[in-house]
Amino acid sequence: MQEKIWLSSPHMGGAERDFVTEAFDTNWVAPLGPNVNGFEKDLETYQGQDVKVAALSSGTAAIHLALIQAGVTAGDEVICQSFTFCGSSNPILYLGATPILVDSERDTWNMCPDSLKSAIEDRIDKGKKPKAIIAVHLYGMPYKVDEIHAFAKAYSIPVIEDSAEALGSSYNGRKCGTFGDFGILSFNGNKIITTSGGGAMVCHSIEDKQKTVYLATQARDEAPHYQHSEVGYNYRMSNISAGIGRGQMQVLDKHVHLRRAMNQFYQELFAAIDGVEVLVEKSADYYSNHWLSAILVDPAVTGGITREDLRLALEAENIESRPLWKPMHLQPLYSKYPYYGGTVCEELFEKGLCLPSGSNLTNADRERIASVITKVFS
Ligand SMILES: *Cc1c(COP(=O)(O)O)cnc(C)c1O
């Protein structure tokens, strides 16, 4: 069996080890320390817009704290893109709030502005204005920022911008993660850069950042002893993880470039194959990091070949691929919650496949991938 080709695996640049070694040498192995501050500074500079960043233990933790800071409590309603990973939506359930799930549109595969508007208006008619909106830049593709934020603003509802998959993406030249009242990043092992596990909250004021750090460190009151007036969490990033993050920041733009080259590779490969669509930017306003390259396979056009046929053919050659995210409203855990929209994200799930997209794939890897794909569709 040939070596496994992964969908998206960690890709170290080299300097990570130096930052981690330095943490050992100076005995900053405890949580917090200079790497955490350094990593936050690097992210603030990268994101621009004068943002303030708090490094956390995961992207999911960041969404949890963003909901708390948006004022969400038990019984509230929170709108969330249905087509996403459960890390976007589970924190709504942690708080005892109710998820209101919304369909996608076909251009970016992200939250449909029309369905969002229907959801907001119907929930208000039913007696409750949603407390927050969680919109997601899935696979690195920016959502329709102008439309989504215009509706959120018109109804004065804060937006939590799930940019877990979109570090390095931008919309109209402005980095994803900086548009929302709170922005979320993830450095999980399969993301565009990794700290082996971690996340961050992107804030627009020092007060919001301080509040995030306070909640992420067990909500300690100011006192020489340990005193607590509200519930906190143990959600801060460690100094070791942040050391990996500092090294990864040095190669982030290179990773974006390489992932975009993988997308280009798939565009060229599928140009000659009818019935397969590669997710690409629909206008120059959008710039995707192409964290994962994703395709739709239409069996009505391919002569009956489905995305599952392709997935199994790749698997037989030890090449990992994966169906697109299964929409939350189709998940057993979420099926009882309200859903607004049509069948766009259901169709994406039925026909969609994510292909190997790592920044560390070689020419030999690409040749293996291309030969399986060409064979399946020949
Ligand atoms: C990865 C991911 C998260 C969660 O991040 P973790 O760091 O794994 O907790 C949230 N939303 C989306 C869309 C993600 O892909």
Side-chain angles (χ1 to χ4, degrees):
M1 185 61 97
Q2 294 195 76
E3 218 181 302
K4 177 138 184 166
I5 297 179
W6 299 94
L7 195 65
S8 177
S9 67
H11 184 192
M12 293 298 113
E16 296 84 359
R17 209 188 281 266
D18 300 335
F19 288 109
V20 172
T21 301
E22 188 184 311
F24 272 81
D25 291 346
T26 54
N27 204 29
W28 277 108
V29 177
L32 303 187
N35 280 337
V36 174
N37 298 332
F39 185 41
E40 288 177 346
K41 270 256 136 10
D42 289 347
L43 286 165
E44 287 168 359
T45 306
Y46 188 82
Q47 292 293 83
Q49 305 295 324
D50 211 16
V51 294
K52 306 286 177 265
V53 172
L56 300 172
S57 56
S58 74
T60 309
I63 293 188
H64 189 189
L65 296 186
L67 288 168
I68 292 171
Q69 288 178 250
V72 174
T73 57
D76 285 338
E77 295 189 346
V78 175
I79 291 180
C80 184
Q81 183 167 321
S82 184
F83 188 50
T84 190
F85 171 62
C86 68
S88 307
S89 52
N90 280 349
I92 303 169
L93 301 180
Y94 299 169
L95 290 166
T98 303
I100 308 294
L101 302 164
V102 166
D103 200 5
S104 292
E105 36 78 13
R106 274 303 308 257
D107 291 341
T108 75
W109 301 3
N110 292 312
M111 186 179 274
C112 169
D114 296 333
S115 302
L116 170 66
K117 187 164 184 281
S118 313
I120 296 173
E121 288 176 352
D122 191 56
R123 299 323 293 176
I124 291 174
D125 281 350
K126 289 191 162 68
K128 252 186 205 173
K129 188 173 107 172
K131 267 292 188 58
I133 296 165
I134 302 171
V136 190
H137 306 294
L138 225 49
Y139 305 119
M141 182 62 71
Y143 57 75
K144 296 198 167 177
V145 170
D146 291 340
E147 289 94 327
I148 298 290
H149 286 261
F151 285 136
K153 195 164 174 217
Y155 292 94
S156 303
I157 304 174
V159 176
I160 295 167
E161 184 192 359
D162 183 343
S163 201
E165 300 179 0
L167 180 60
S169 298
S170 54
Y171 179 75
N172 274 328
R174 177 169 162 178
K175 288 272 162 39
C176 289
T178 66
F179 292 100
D181 295 78
F182 296 96
I184 298 308
L185 302 173
S186 168
F187 314 110
N188 198 12
N190 58 355
K191 298 286 161 50
I192 193 150
I193 63 166
T194 184
T195 58
S196 109
M201 177 95 85
V202 181
C203 304
H204 293 280
S205 72
I206 192 74
E207 291 75 22
D208 280 350
K209 174 179 171 172
Q210 283 165 348
K211 179 84 191 215
T212 302
V213 171
Y214 158 81
L215 289 170
T217 50
Q218 307 288 22
R220 275 186 74 185
D221 294 339
E222 243 171 279
H225 50 273
Y226 276 77
Q227 176 170 304
H228 310 276
S229 307
E230 62 180 309
V231 66
Y233 303 86
N234 184 4
Y235 276 172
R236 201 72 162 115
M237 180 177 279
S238 83
N239 198 52
I240 296 292
S241 298
I244 303 173
R246 287 179 86 179
Q248 289 270 277
M249 285 305 287
Q250 298 182 1
V251 290
L252 170 55
D253 277 333
K254 194 175 123 201
H255 285 196
V256 172
H257 179 79
L258 289 166
R259 297 235 177 199
R260 286 177 58 80
M262 280 308 295
N263 188 266
Q264 192 63 41
F265 161 75
Y266 288 118
Q267 284 183 53
E268 284 160 20
L269 188 58
F270 286 110
I273 298 170
D274 288 335
V276 179
E277 171 192 333
V278 181
L279 175 62
V280 295
E281 293 98 338
K282 295 297 184 298
S283 87
D285 295 344
Y286 297 85
Y287 182 86
S288 173
N289 66 8
H290 288 302
W291 169 59
L292 293 186
S293 281
I295 57 168
L296 296 180
V297 180
D298 185 354
V301 184
T302 58
I305 298 161
T306 64
R307 76 105 199 276
E308 201 52 16
D309 295 329
L310 178 57
R311 192 186 69 77
L312 292 171
L314 288 163
E315 190 175 81
E317 294 299 323
N318 213 17
I319 300 170
E320 186 184 28
S321 66
R322 189 181 298 153
L324 301 188
W325 299 123
K326 180 173 182 177
M328 286 304 131
H329 73 280
L330 301 178
Q331 300 280 358
L333 179 63
Y334 285 90
S335 58
K336 65 175 181 232
Y337 298 111
Y339 170 72
Y340 292 83
T343 56
V344 173
C345 66
E346 288 185 41
E347 282 168 35
L348 294 173
F349 172 60
E350 251 168 56
K351 295 181 180 160
L353 193 68
C354 294
L355 298 169
S357 305
S359 44
N360 48 3
L361 295 177
T362 62
N363 278 335
D365 293 335
R366 275 183 285 274
E367 272 167 34
R368 274 175 63 194
I369 295 165
S371 95
V372 175
I373 290 173
T374 312
K375 205 153 95 202
V376 167
F377 289 98
S378 67

